[in-house]
Amino acid sequence: MQDQLLEKIKNAILNMVKEKKIGIAFSGGVDSTLVAKVCHDTGYDITLLTVGFAGSHDIEFSKKINKFLQFKHHVLEINPREFTRISKQIRARIKTDNLSWNENCIAFYHVAKLARNLGIDTVVTANGIDELFCGYNGYRQAIKEGPQKIMDLMASKLENEIAMMKAVNDVSGEFEVIIVQPLLSDEFIKYAKSIPLSYKITDENDLLRKHIVRKAAILAGVPESSANARKKALQYGSLIHKTLIRSR
């Protein structure tokens, strides 16, 4: 099944990503590292793009993981002096008080800015894996109530993620950069939902989750320190969440 999952990820990328020179939104975690490895091995000209405040987890961890990968890698440290102004502009643009949407749009604003500075028009993300493979902590609570509760939560999270990524592209459009999510395509969603839940999460005490993804990542050559790393969401790993809360 790991082989099949890798093939489905590859096909999802090939079907949606037509540009050969692309950026990868990269934190060093299992999802973004797996997507980067598949894109590289499929023949794309990739550049890893990492954003965050100086000393943040994502910047330090991404550098550590890329010591194994040896891909082109660029980092943009967010300027604290500009953060409040930019975050207010983004909030006004996307017209929502949803904290997660604002945090992700701020992160991808900086990813798009970095991509534009490097002459990259298309950035590929791993969005969709956490939703489809029970990556979020909420799935531990859902499993207590049975499989249907997990599927209901998955549907809700997918709906939110797809809508949020439209807002992300509205923001990235300022730099004429497209943020692409191959693993939120209808075909991949249908396939991922067909994978038994036992391959994704075991029980309410499962702190790791996404087990089939982690096994596929190791099969693809992702370093074990990335494949087995606990989830750390973009807004937390970059310190955007902490800084945004503090600035309010």
Side-chain angles (χ1 to χ4, degrees), residues 82-107 109-110 167-168 170-171 174 244-245 247-248:
E82 296 180 349
F83 181 79
T84 300
R85 175 182 59 81
I86 290 171
S87 62
K88 286 180 178 178
Q89 288 177 352
I90 289 172
R91 184 179 179 185
R93 181 161 190 163
I94 66 175
K95 297 180 175 64
T96 179
D97 291 329
N98 185 303
L99 182 60
S100 176
W101 280 40
N102 277 277
E103 291 168 341
N104 277 273
C105 284
I106 291 167
Y109 170 94
H110 289 91
V168 162
D170 182 24
V171 170
E174 179 176 333
L244 187 60
I245 292 296
S247 67
R248 286 191 165 189

PDB file of all heavy atoms in Angstrom, residues 82-107 109-110 167-168 170-171 174 244-245 247-248:
ATOM      1  N   GLU A  82       7.802  44.682  10.332  1.00  0.00           N
ATOM      2  CA  GLU A  82       6.774  44.775   9.301  1.00  0.00           C
ATOM      3  C   GLU A  82       5.580  43.860   9.575  1.00  0.00           C
ATOM      4  O   GLU A  82       4.562  43.943   8.891  1.00  0.00           O
ATOM      5  CB  GLU A  82       7.362  44.406   7.937  1.00  0.00           C
ATOM      6  CG  GLU A  82       8.456  45.350   7.450  1.00  0.00           C
ATOM      7  CD  GLU A  82       8.997  44.916   6.096  1.00  0.00           C
ATOM      8  OE1 GLU A  82       8.662  43.784   5.665  1.00  0.00           O
ATOM      9  OE2 GLU A  82       9.739  45.701   5.491  1.00  0.00           O
ATOM     10  N   PHE A  83       5.692  43.015  10.573  1.00  0.00           N
ATOM     11  CA  PHE A  83       4.710  41.944  10.771  1.00  0.00           C
ATOM     12  C   PHE A  83       3.304  42.478  11.040  1.00  0.00           C
ATOM     13  O   PHE A  83       2.328  42.018  10.436  1.00  0.00           O
ATOM     14  CB  PHE A  83       5.148  41.030  11.914  1.00  0.00           C
ATOM     15  CG  PHE A  83       4.195  39.886  12.152  1.00  0.00           C
ATOM     16  CD1 PHE A  83       4.214  38.772  11.334  1.00  0.00           C
ATOM     17  CD2 PHE A  83       3.279  39.929  13.190  1.00  0.00           C
ATOM     18  CE1 PHE A  83       3.343  37.721  11.537  1.00  0.00           C
ATOM     19  CE2 PHE A  83       2.395  38.883  13.403  1.00  0.00           C
ATOM     20  CZ  PHE A  83       2.431  37.769  12.579  1.00  0.00           C
ATOM     21  N   THR A  84       3.179  43.427  11.943  1.00  0.00           N
ATOM     22  CA  THR A  84       1.859  43.936  12.303  1.00  0.00           C
ATOM     23  C   THR A  84       1.174  44.590  11.106  1.00  0.00           C
ATOM     24  O   THR A  84      -0.014  44.357  10.843  1.00  0.00           O
ATOM     25  CB  THR A  84       1.952  44.940  13.465  1.00  0.00           C
ATOM     26  OG1 THR A  84       2.526  44.276  14.611  1.00  0.00           O
ATOM     27  CG2 THR A  84       0.582  45.475  13.843  1.00  0.00           C
ATOM     28  N   ARG A  85       1.920  45.392  10.364  1.00  0.00           N
ATOM     29  CA  ARG A  85       1.352  46.056   9.185  1.00  0.00           C
ATOM     30  C   ARG A  85       0.878  45.043   8.152  1.00  0.00           C
ATOM     31  O   ARG A  85      -0.244  45.134   7.638  1.00  0.00           O
ATOM     32  CB  ARG A  85       2.396  46.992   8.551  1.00  0.00           C
ATOM     33  CG  ARG A  85       1.939  47.633   7.242  1.00  0.00           C
ATOM     34  CD  ARG A  85       3.016  48.510   6.627  1.00  0.00           C
ATOM     35  NE  ARG A  85       4.244  47.790   6.330  1.00  0.00           N
ATOM     36  CZ  ARG A  85       4.413  47.041   5.239  1.00  0.00           C
ATOM     37  NH1 ARG A  85       3.430  46.896   4.359  1.00  0.00           N
ATOM     38  NH2 ARG A  85       5.571  46.428   5.028  1.00  0.00           N
ATOM     39  N   ILE A  86       1.709  44.051   7.864  1.00  0.00           N
ATOM     40  CA  ILE A  86       1.352  43.052   6.861  1.00  0.00           C
ATOM     41  C   ILE A  86       0.165  42.206   7.328  1.00  0.00           C
ATOM     42  O   ILE A  86      -0.749  41.916   6.548  1.00  0.00           O
ATOM     43  CB  ILE A  86       2.571  42.163   6.545  1.00  0.00           C
ATOM     44  CG1 ILE A  86       3.628  42.972   5.788  1.00  0.00           C
ATOM     45  CG2 ILE A  86       2.160  40.936   5.730  1.00  0.00           C
ATOM     46  CD1 ILE A  86       4.939  42.262   5.609  1.00  0.00           C
ATOM     47  N   SER A  87       0.160  41.815   8.593  1.00  0.00           N
ATOM     48  CA  SER A  87      -0.933  40.984   9.097  1.00  0.00           C
ATOM     49  C   SER A  87      -2.261  41.730   9.047  1.00  0.00           C
ATOM     50  O   SER A  87      -3.304  41.137   8.734  1.00  0.00           O
ATOM     51  CB  SER A  87      -0.637  40.507  10.520  1.00  0.00           C
ATOM     52  OG  SER A  87      -0.522  41.590  11.421  1.00  0.00           O
ATOM     53  N   LYS A  88      -2.257  43.032   9.302  1.00  0.00           N
ATOM     54  CA  LYS A  88      -3.481  43.827   9.216  1.00  0.00           C
ATOM     55  C   LYS A  88      -3.954  43.944   7.768  1.00  0.00           C
ATOM     56  O   LYS A  88      -5.158  43.873   7.496  1.00  0.00           O
ATOM     57  CB  LYS A  88      -3.248  45.218   9.822  1.00  0.00           C
ATOM     58  CG  LYS A  88      -3.165  45.218  11.347  1.00  0.00           C
ATOM     59  CD  LYS A  88      -2.941  46.622  11.885  1.00  0.00           C
ATOM     60  CE  LYS A  88      -2.911  46.619  13.410  1.00  0.00           C
ATOM     61  NZ  LYS A  88      -2.646  47.987  13.957  1.00  0.00           N
ATOM     62  N   GLN A  89      -3.015  44.121   6.848  1.00  0.00           N
ATOM     63  CA  GLN A  89      -3.371  44.192   5.426  1.00  0.00           C
ATOM     64  C   GLN A  89      -4.006  42.884   4.957  1.00  0.00           C
ATOM     65  O   GLN A  89      -4.992  42.890   4.214  1.00  0.00           O
ATOM     66  CB  GLN A  89      -2.128  44.494   4.595  1.00  0.00           C
ATOM     67  CG  GLN A  89      -1.611  45.921   4.722  1.00  0.00           C
ATOM     68  CD  GLN A  89      -0.329  46.142   3.933  1.00  0.00           C
ATOM     69  OE1 GLN A  89       0.262  45.205   3.400  1.00  0.00           O
ATOM     70  NE2 GLN A  89       0.115  47.382   3.866  1.00  0.00           N
ATOM     71  N   ILE A  90      -3.441  41.772   5.400  1.00  0.00           N
ATOM     72  CA  ILE A  90      -3.951  40.465   4.990  1.00  0.00           C
ATOM     73  C   ILE A  90      -5.330  40.223   5.592  1.00  0.00           C
ATOM     74  O   ILE A  90      -6.251  39.741   4.908  1.00  0.00           O
ATOM     75  CB  ILE A  90      -2.963  39.352   5.393  1.00  0.00           C
ATOM     76  CG1 ILE A  90      -1.710  39.437   4.514  1.00  0.00           C
ATOM     77  CG2 ILE A  90      -3.609  37.976   5.296  1.00  0.00           C
ATOM     78  CD1 ILE A  90      -0.591  38.528   4.941  1.00  0.00           C
ATOM     79  N   ARG A  91      -5.507  40.583   6.835  1.00  0.00           N
ATOM     80  CA  ARG A  91      -6.814  40.414   7.481  1.00  0.00           C
ATOM     81  C   ARG A  91      -7.888  41.210   6.752  1.00  0.00           C
ATOM     82  O   ARG A  91      -9.003  40.723   6.535  1.00  0.00           O
ATOM     83  CB  ARG A  91      -6.727  40.847   8.941  1.00  0.00           C
ATOM     84  CG  ARG A  91      -8.008  40.618   9.739  1.00  0.00           C
ATOM     85  CD  ARG A  91      -7.807  41.054  11.167  1.00  0.00           C
ATOM     86  NE  ARG A  91      -9.008  40.871  11.959  1.00  0.00           N
ATOM     87  CZ  ARG A  91      -9.135  41.259  13.223  1.00  0.00           C
ATOM     88  NH1 ARG A  91      -8.103  41.839  13.833  1.00  0.00           N
ATOM     89  NH2 ARG A  91     -10.261  41.061  13.874  1.00  0.00           N
ATOM     90  N   ALA A  92      -7.549  42.432   6.345  1.00  0.00           N
ATOM     91  CA  ALA A  92      -8.503  43.269   5.606  1.00  0.00           C
ATOM     92  C   ALA A  92      -8.798  42.674   4.232  1.00  0.00           C
ATOM     93  O   ALA A  92      -9.923  42.776   3.732  1.00  0.00           O
ATOM     94  CB  ALA A  92      -7.951  44.682   5.470  1.00  0.00           C
ATOM     95  N   ARG A  93      -7.808  42.030   3.644  1.00  0.00           N
ATOM     96  CA  ARG A  93      -7.977  41.480   2.295  1.00  0.00           C
ATOM     97  C   ARG A  93      -8.856  40.236   2.295  1.00  0.00           C
ATOM     98  O   ARG A  93      -9.727  40.080   1.421  1.00  0.00           O
ATOM     99  CB  ARG A  93      -6.612  41.164   1.695  1.00  0.00           C
ATOM    100  CG  ARG A  93      -6.690  40.601   0.283  1.00  0.00           C
ATOM    101  CD  ARG A  93      -5.378  40.729  -0.439  1.00  0.00           C
ATOM    102  NE  ARG A  93      -5.529  40.414  -1.852  1.00  0.00           N
ATOM    103  CZ  ARG A  93      -4.653  40.739  -2.788  1.00  0.00           C
ATOM    104  NH1 ARG A  93      -3.568  41.417  -2.467  1.00  0.00           N
ATOM    105  NH2 ARG A  93      -4.853  40.413  -4.047  1.00  0.00           N
ATOM    106  N   ILE A  94      -8.635  39.331   3.240  1.00  0.00           N
ATOM    107  CA  ILE A  94      -9.394  38.078   3.226  1.00  0.00           C
ATOM    108  C   ILE A  94     -10.714  38.195   3.989  1.00  0.00           C
ATOM    109  O   ILE A  94     -11.553  37.296   3.916  1.00  0.00           O
ATOM    110  CB  ILE A  94      -8.559  36.900   3.754  1.00  0.00           C
ATOM    111  CG1 ILE A  94      -8.218  37.066   5.238  1.00  0.00           C
ATOM    112  CG2 ILE A  94      -7.297  36.724   2.925  1.00  0.00           C
ATOM    113  CD1 ILE A  94      -7.499  35.854   5.835  1.00  0.00           C
ATOM    114  N   LYS A  95     -10.867  39.287   4.742  1.00  0.00           N
ATOM    115  CA  LYS A  95     -12.143  39.632   5.383  1.00  0.00           C
ATOM    116  C   LYS A  95     -12.684  38.522   6.289  1.00  0.00           C
ATOM    117  O   LYS A  95     -13.839  38.087   6.174  1.00  0.00           O
ATOM    118  CB  LYS A  95     -13.191  40.000   4.331  1.00  0.00           C
ATOM    119  CG  LYS A  95     -12.831  41.233   3.508  1.00  0.00           C
ATOM    120  CD  LYS A  95     -13.908  41.537   2.487  1.00  0.00           C
ATOM    121  CE  LYS A  95     -13.630  42.831   1.740  1.00  0.00           C
ATOM    122  NZ  LYS A  95     -12.394  42.755   0.937  1.00  0.00           N
ATOM    123  N   THR A  96     -11.839  38.030   7.166  1.00  0.00           N
ATOM    124  CA  THR A  96     -12.282  37.055   8.161  1.00  0.00           C
ATOM    125  C   THR A  96     -11.469  37.210   9.439  1.00  0.00           C
ATOM    126  O   THR A  96     -10.293  37.593   9.396  1.00  0.00           O
ATOM    127  CB  THR A  96     -12.150  35.612   7.644  1.00  0.00           C
ATOM    128  OG1 THR A  96     -12.579  34.698   8.672  1.00  0.00           O
ATOM    129  CG2 THR A  96     -10.713  35.277   7.283  1.00  0.00           C
ATOM    130  N   ASP A  97     -12.106  36.906  10.569  1.00  0.00           N
ATOM    131  CA  ASP A  97     -11.405  36.914  11.852  1.00  0.00           C
ATOM    132  C   ASP A  97     -10.893  35.523  12.213  1.00  0.00           C
ATOM    133  O   ASP A  97     -10.347  35.330  13.296  1.00  0.00           O
ATOM    134  CB  ASP A  97     -12.337  37.419  12.962  1.00  0.00           C
ATOM    135  CG  ASP A  97     -12.663  38.895  12.828  1.00  0.00           C
ATOM    136  OD1 ASP A  97     -11.799  39.632  12.328  1.00  0.00           O
ATOM    137  OD2 ASP A  97     -13.774  39.306  13.214  1.00  0.00           O
ATOM    138  N   ASN A  98     -11.095  34.550  11.311  1.00  0.00           N
ATOM    139  CA  ASN A  98     -10.639  33.187  11.569  1.00  0.00           C
ATOM    140  C   ASN A  98      -9.125  33.195  11.765  1.00  0.00           C
ATOM    141  O   ASN A  98      -8.369  33.516  10.838  1.00  0.00           O
ATOM    142  CB  ASN A  98     -11.031  32.283  10.402  1.00  0.00           C
ATOM    143  CG  ASN A  98     -10.690  30.821  10.641  1.00  0.00           C
ATOM    144  OD1 ASN A  98      -9.546  30.468  10.896  1.00  0.00           O
ATOM    145  ND2 ASN A  98     -11.692  29.971  10.554  1.00  0.00           N
ATOM    146  N   LEU A  99      -8.687  32.854  12.966  1.00  0.00           N
ATOM    147  CA  LEU A  99      -7.270  32.969  13.322  1.00  0.00           C
ATOM    148  C   LEU A  99      -6.393  32.084  12.443  1.00  0.00           C
ATOM    149  O   LEU A  99      -5.353  32.524  11.946  1.00  0.00           O
ATOM    150  CB  LEU A  99      -7.070  32.622  14.803  1.00  0.00           C
ATOM    151  CG  LEU A  99      -5.646  32.750  15.340  1.00  0.00           C
ATOM    152  CD1 LEU A  99      -5.127  34.172  15.197  1.00  0.00           C
ATOM    153  CD2 LEU A  99      -5.604  32.303  16.809  1.00  0.00           C
ATOM    154  N   SER A 100      -6.809  30.846  12.232  1.00  0.00           N
ATOM    155  CA  SER A 100      -6.019  29.915  11.432  1.00  0.00           C
ATOM    156  C   SER A 100      -5.875  30.405   9.994  1.00  0.00           C
ATOM    157  O   SER A 100      -4.793  30.318   9.402  1.00  0.00           O
ATOM    158  CB  SER A 100      -6.661  28.528  11.453  1.00  0.00           C
ATOM    159  OG  SER A 100      -5.954  27.636  10.617  1.00  0.00           O
ATOM    160  N   TRP A 101      -6.957  30.933   9.420  1.00  0.00           N
ATOM    161  CA  TRP A 101      -6.890  31.463   8.057  1.00  0.00           C
ATOM    162  C   TRP A 101      -5.907  32.620   7.975  1.00  0.00           C
ATOM    163  O   TRP A 101      -5.100  32.699   7.048  1.00  0.00           O
ATOM    164  CB  TRP A 101      -8.277  31.934   7.610  1.00  0.00           C
ATOM    165  CG  TRP A 101      -9.188  30.848   7.159  1.00  0.00           C
ATOM    166  CD1 TRP A 101      -9.348  29.608   7.713  1.00  0.00           C
ATOM    167  CD2 TRP A 101     -10.100  30.900   6.055  1.00  0.00           C
ATOM    168  NE1 TRP A 101     -10.291  28.898   7.034  1.00  0.00           N
ATOM    169  CE2 TRP A 101     -10.779  29.669   6.010  1.00  0.00           C
ATOM    170  CE3 TRP A 101     -10.418  31.870   5.118  1.00  0.00           C
ATOM    171  CZ2 TRP A 101     -11.759  29.376   5.053  1.00  0.00           C
ATOM    172  CZ3 TRP A 101     -11.389  31.599   4.158  1.00  0.00           C
ATOM    173  CH2 TRP A 101     -12.040  30.358   4.138  1.00  0.00           C
ATOM    174  N   ASN A 102      -5.975  33.519   8.942  1.00  0.00           N
ATOM    175  CA  ASN A 102      -5.064  34.665   8.945  1.00  0.00           C
ATOM    176  C   ASN A 102      -3.615  34.216   9.087  1.00  0.00           C
ATOM    177  O   ASN A 102      -2.735  34.712   8.392  1.00  0.00           O
ATOM    178  CB  ASN A 102      -5.444  35.638  10.064  1.00  0.00           C
ATOM    179  CG  ASN A 102      -6.564  36.572   9.652  1.00  0.00           C
ATOM    180  OD1 ASN A 102      -6.331  37.585   9.012  1.00  0.00           O
ATOM    181  ND2 ASN A 102      -7.789  36.228  10.024  1.00  0.00           N
ATOM    182  N   GLU A 103      -3.369  33.262   9.971  1.00  0.00           N
ATOM    183  CA  GLU A 103      -2.002  32.782  10.195  1.00  0.00           C
ATOM    184  C   GLU A 103      -1.438  32.119   8.937  1.00  0.00           C
ATOM    185  O   GLU A 103      -0.289  32.359   8.557  1.00  0.00           O
ATOM    186  CB  GLU A 103      -1.991  31.787  11.358  1.00  0.00           C
ATOM    187  CG  GLU A 103      -2.271  32.438  12.703  1.00  0.00           C
ATOM    188  CD  GLU A 103      -2.543  31.428  13.798  1.00  0.00           C
ATOM    189  OE1 GLU A 103      -2.867  30.252  13.483  1.00  0.00           O
ATOM    190  OE2 GLU A 103      -2.452  31.801  14.972  1.00  0.00           O
ATOM    191  N   ASN A 104      -2.241  31.279   8.305  1.00  0.00           N
ATOM    192  CA  ASN A 104      -1.772  30.602   7.094  1.00  0.00           C
ATOM    193  C   ASN A 104      -1.575  31.571   5.940  1.00  0.00           C
ATOM    194  O   ASN A 104      -0.614  31.438   5.174  1.00  0.00           O
ATOM    195  CB  ASN A 104      -2.752  29.489   6.702  1.00  0.00           C
ATOM    196  CG  ASN A 104      -2.502  28.207   7.457  1.00  0.00           C
ATOM    197  OD1 ASN A 104      -1.692  27.378   7.057  1.00  0.00           O
ATOM    198  ND2 ASN A 104      -3.190  28.050   8.584  1.00  0.00           N
ATOM    199  N   CYS A 105      -2.466  32.547   5.828  1.00  0.00           N
ATOM    200  CA  CYS A 105      -2.307  33.541   4.760  1.00  0.00           C
ATOM    201  C   CYS A 105      -1.060  34.386   4.975  1.00  0.00           C
ATOM    202  O   CYS A 105      -0.366  34.735   4.016  1.00  0.00           O
ATOM    203  CB  CYS A 105      -3.549  34.419   4.670  1.00  0.00           C
ATOM    204  SG  CYS A 105      -4.957  33.597   3.873  1.00  0.00           S
ATOM    205  N   ILE A 106      -0.749  34.698   6.222  1.00  0.00           N
ATOM    206  CA  ILE A 106       0.484  35.436   6.524  1.00  0.00           C
ATOM    207  C   ILE A 106       1.700  34.594   6.129  1.00  0.00           C
ATOM    208  O   ILE A 106       2.644  35.084   5.499  1.00  0.00           O
ATOM    209  CB  ILE A 106       0.546  35.801   8.020  1.00  0.00           C
ATOM    210  CG1 ILE A 106      -0.515  36.860   8.359  1.00  0.00           C
ATOM    211  CG2 ILE A 106       1.943  36.303   8.403  1.00  0.00           C
ATOM    212  CD1 ILE A 106      -0.731  37.055   9.849  1.00  0.00           C
ATOM    213  N   ALA A 107       1.670  33.313   6.490  1.00  0.00           N
ATOM    214  CA  ALA A 107       2.794  32.428   6.160  1.00  0.00           C
ATOM    215  C   ALA A 107       2.992  32.335   4.650  1.00  0.00           C
ATOM    216  O   ALA A 107       4.108  32.480   4.137  1.00  0.00           O
ATOM    217  CB  ALA A 107       2.559  31.045   6.751  1.00  0.00           C
ATOM    218  N   TYR A 109       1.924  34.371   2.347  1.00  0.00           N
ATOM    219  CA  TYR A 109       2.325  35.678   1.824  1.00  0.00           C
ATOM    220  C   TYR A 109       3.855  35.734   1.740  1.00  0.00           C
ATOM    221  O   TYR A 109       4.426  36.131   0.722  1.00  0.00           O
ATOM    222  CB  TYR A 109       1.803  36.791   2.728  1.00  0.00           C
ATOM    223  CG  TYR A 109       2.343  38.171   2.439  1.00  0.00           C
ATOM    224  CD1 TYR A 109       1.664  39.047   1.605  1.00  0.00           C
ATOM    225  CD2 TYR A 109       3.541  38.609   3.016  1.00  0.00           C
ATOM    226  CE1 TYR A 109       2.155  40.322   1.334  1.00  0.00           C
ATOM    227  CE2 TYR A 109       4.042  39.875   2.762  1.00  0.00           C
ATOM    228  CZ  TYR A 109       3.347  40.727   1.920  1.00  0.00           C
ATOM    229  OH  TYR A 109       3.855  41.995   1.673  1.00  0.00           O
ATOM    230  N   HIS A 110       4.502  35.300   2.809  1.00  0.00           N
ATOM    231  CA  HIS A 110       5.968  35.336   2.844  1.00  0.00           C
ATOM    232  C   HIS A 110       6.581  34.260   1.944  1.00  0.00           C
ATOM    233  O   HIS A 110       7.630  34.483   1.335  1.00  0.00           O
ATOM    234  CB  HIS A 110       6.462  35.198   4.284  1.00  0.00           C
ATOM    235  CG  HIS A 110       6.196  36.412   5.122  1.00  0.00           C
ATOM    236  ND1 HIS A 110       5.047  36.568   5.868  1.00  0.00           N
ATOM    237  CD2 HIS A 110       6.921  37.541   5.299  1.00  0.00           C
ATOM    238  CE1 HIS A 110       5.084  37.738   6.483  1.00  0.00           C
ATOM    239  NE2 HIS A 110       6.210  38.347   6.161  1.00  0.00           N
ATOM    240  N   ALA A 167      -8.261  31.545  -0.230  1.00  0.00           N
ATOM    241  CA  ALA A 167      -7.847  32.814   0.380  1.00  0.00           C
ATOM    242  C   ALA A 167      -6.338  32.972   0.309  1.00  0.00           C
ATOM    243  O   ALA A 167      -5.823  34.072   0.057  1.00  0.00           O
ATOM    244  CB  ALA A 167      -8.324  32.871   1.830  1.00  0.00           C
ATOM    245  N   VAL A 168      -5.605  31.890   0.515  1.00  0.00           N
ATOM    246  CA  VAL A 168      -4.147  31.910   0.411  1.00  0.00           C
ATOM    247  C   VAL A 168      -3.721  32.368  -0.979  1.00  0.00           C
ATOM    248  O   VAL A 168      -2.810  33.196  -1.131  1.00  0.00           O
ATOM    249  CB  VAL A 168      -3.566  30.510   0.726  1.00  0.00           C
ATOM    250  CG1 VAL A 168      -2.138  30.380   0.212  1.00  0.00           C
ATOM    251  CG2 VAL A 168      -3.614  30.244   2.225  1.00  0.00           C
ATOM    252  N   ASP A 170      -5.444  34.169  -3.037  1.00  0.00           N
ATOM    253  CA  ASP A 170      -5.785  35.577  -3.180  1.00  0.00           C
ATOM    254  C   ASP A 170      -4.637  36.439  -2.665  1.00  0.00           C
ATOM    255  O   ASP A 170      -4.246  37.429  -3.290  1.00  0.00           O
ATOM    256  CB  ASP A 170      -7.075  35.873  -2.402  1.00  0.00           C
ATOM    257  CG  ASP A 170      -7.524  37.320  -2.560  1.00  0.00           C
ATOM    258  OD1 ASP A 170      -7.170  37.958  -3.560  1.00  0.00           O
ATOM    259  OD2 ASP A 170      -8.240  37.813  -1.668  1.00  0.00           O
ATOM    260  N   VAL A 171      -4.066  36.040  -1.535  1.00  0.00           N
ATOM    261  CA  VAL A 171      -2.955  36.781  -0.938  1.00  0.00           C
ATOM    262  C   VAL A 171      -1.679  36.626  -1.766  1.00  0.00           C
ATOM    263  O   VAL A 171      -0.977  37.606  -2.038  1.00  0.00           O
ATOM    264  CB  VAL A 171      -2.723  36.306   0.513  1.00  0.00           C
ATOM    265  CG1 VAL A 171      -1.425  36.875   1.074  1.00  0.00           C
ATOM    266  CG2 VAL A 171      -3.907  36.703   1.396  1.00  0.00           C
ATOM    267  N   GLU A 174      -0.662  38.742  -5.001  1.00  0.00           N
ATOM    268  CA  GLU A 174       0.050  40.029  -4.975  1.00  0.00           C
ATOM    269  C   GLU A 174       1.427  39.904  -5.607  1.00  0.00           C
ATOM    270  O   GLU A 174       1.960  40.857  -6.180  1.00  0.00           O
ATOM    271  CB  GLU A 174       0.170  40.523  -3.530  1.00  0.00           C
ATOM    272  CG  GLU A 174       0.916  41.830  -3.382  1.00  0.00           C
ATOM    273  CD  GLU A 174       0.944  42.340  -1.952  1.00  0.00           C
ATOM    274  OE1 GLU A 174       0.021  42.017  -1.176  1.00  0.00           O
ATOM    275  OE2 GLU A 174       1.903  43.066  -1.603  1.00  0.00           O
ATOM    276  N   LEU A 244       1.464  36.744  16.302  1.00  0.00           N
ATOM    277  CA  LEU A 244       0.187  37.363  15.979  1.00  0.00           C
ATOM    278  C   LEU A 244      -0.665  37.563  17.236  1.00  0.00           C
ATOM    279  O   LEU A 244      -1.273  38.619  17.411  1.00  0.00           O
ATOM    280  CB  LEU A 244      -0.578  36.495  14.961  1.00  0.00           C
ATOM    281  CG  LEU A 244      -1.865  37.088  14.382  1.00  0.00           C
ATOM    282  CD1 LEU A 244      -1.576  38.397  13.652  1.00  0.00           C
ATOM    283  CD2 LEU A 244      -2.546  36.104  13.442  1.00  0.00           C
ATOM    284  N   ILE A 245      -0.686  36.565  18.086  1.00  0.00           N
ATOM    285  CA  ILE A 245      -1.446  36.674  19.353  1.00  0.00           C
ATOM    286  C   ILE A 245      -0.875  37.797  20.195  1.00  0.00           C
ATOM    287  O   ILE A 245      -1.607  38.604  20.797  1.00  0.00           O
ATOM    288  CB  ILE A 245      -1.393  35.342  20.122  1.00  0.00           C
ATOM    289  CG1 ILE A 245      -2.174  34.255  19.371  1.00  0.00           C
ATOM    290  CG2 ILE A 245      -1.949  35.522  21.531  1.00  0.00           C
ATOM    291  CD1 ILE A 245      -3.655  34.530  19.241  1.00  0.00           C
ATOM    292  N   SER A 247       0.667  40.439  19.205  1.00  0.00           N
ATOM    293  CA  SER A 247       0.514  41.772  18.601  1.00  0.00           C
ATOM    294  C   SER A 247      -0.925  42.272  18.647  1.00  0.00           C
ATOM    295  O   SER A 247      -1.182  43.434  18.326  1.00  0.00           O
ATOM    296  CB  SER A 247       0.989  41.731  17.146  1.00  0.00           C
ATOM    297  OG  SER A 247       0.141  40.926  16.345  1.00  0.00           O
ATOM    298  N   ARG A 248      -1.858  41.413  19.027  1.00  0.00           N
ATOM    299  CA  ARG A 248      -3.270  41.827  19.030  1.00  0.00           C
ATOM    300  C   ARG A 248      -3.603  42.661  20.268  1.00  0.00           C
ATOM    301  O   ARG A 248      -3.013  42.511  21.304  1.00  0.00           O
ATOM    302  CB  ARG A 248      -4.175  40.583  18.983  1.00  0.00           C
ATOM    303  CG  ARG A 248      -4.191  39.947  17.603  1.00  0.00           C
ATOM    304  CD  ARG A 248      -5.267  38.917  17.495  1.00  0.00           C
ATOM    305  NE  ARG A 248      -5.500  38.564  16.090  1.00  0.00           N
ATOM    306  CZ  ARG A 248      -6.507  37.798  15.679  1.00  0.00           C
ATOM    307  NH1 ARG A 248      -7.381  37.312  16.530  1.00  0.00           N
ATOM    308  NH2 ARG A 248      -6.666  37.536  14.402  1.00  0.00           N
TER     309      ARG A 248
END
